[in-house]
Amino acid sequence: MGIANDQIRVSDTVKRELERRKREGESFNDVLERMLGDNSGDFADGFGRWSDEEAERVREGRKQGKEKRKAQMQRLGRGDA
């Protein structure tokens, strides 16, 4: 790795994500190079985005949980416990 010639501004959120992914002895430049090299898709893919399938799975799970809680509350309201 050469000497850094440029600086870039990143949001606090992006910096925290880079810090989370940083391995012992790595610079932020090393982290970015590793992430860019590992990801042949969009750079933003590495920042916590879910695939459409994963998002749909989570939505469905939340919907089912909500329906289950609603049914439990109705049973409790009727005294069915």
Side-chain angles (χ1 to χ4, degrees):
M1 180 182 84
I3 297 174
N5 297 327
D6 296 313
Q7 294 181 2
I8 59 172
R9 291 181 184 261
V10 296
S11 69
D12 290 338
T13 303
V14 170
K15 185 176 182 207
R16 281 192 301 271
E17 183 63 22
L18 290 172
E19 288 171 339
R20 186 183 73 77
R21 292 171 181 250
K22 193 173 173 185
R23 297 175 182 162
E24 188 174 336
E26 275 189 326
S27 68
F28 286 114
N29 190 75
D30 295 335
V31 176
L32 290 168
E33 284 182 348
R34 179 169 42 82
M35 289 174 62
L36 290 170
D38 288 349
N39 189 353
S40 60
D42 185 359
F43 181 70
D45 288 347
F47 286 93
R49 289 188 170 187
W50 288 344
S51 67
D52 291 343
E53 295 81 16
E54 182 70 8
E56 184 57 35
R57 187 188 66 76
V58 170
R59 276 191 218 86
E60 186 60 32
R62 292 186 71 203
K63 180 181 173 186
Q64 290 175 3
K66 183 177 180 179
E67 291 169 356
K68 182 178 177 181
R69 287 187 302 277
K70 184 177 178 180
Q72 287 173 335
M73 293 301 289
Q74 288 173 343
R75 283 195 307 273
L76 288 171
R78 290 191 310 260
D80 295 346

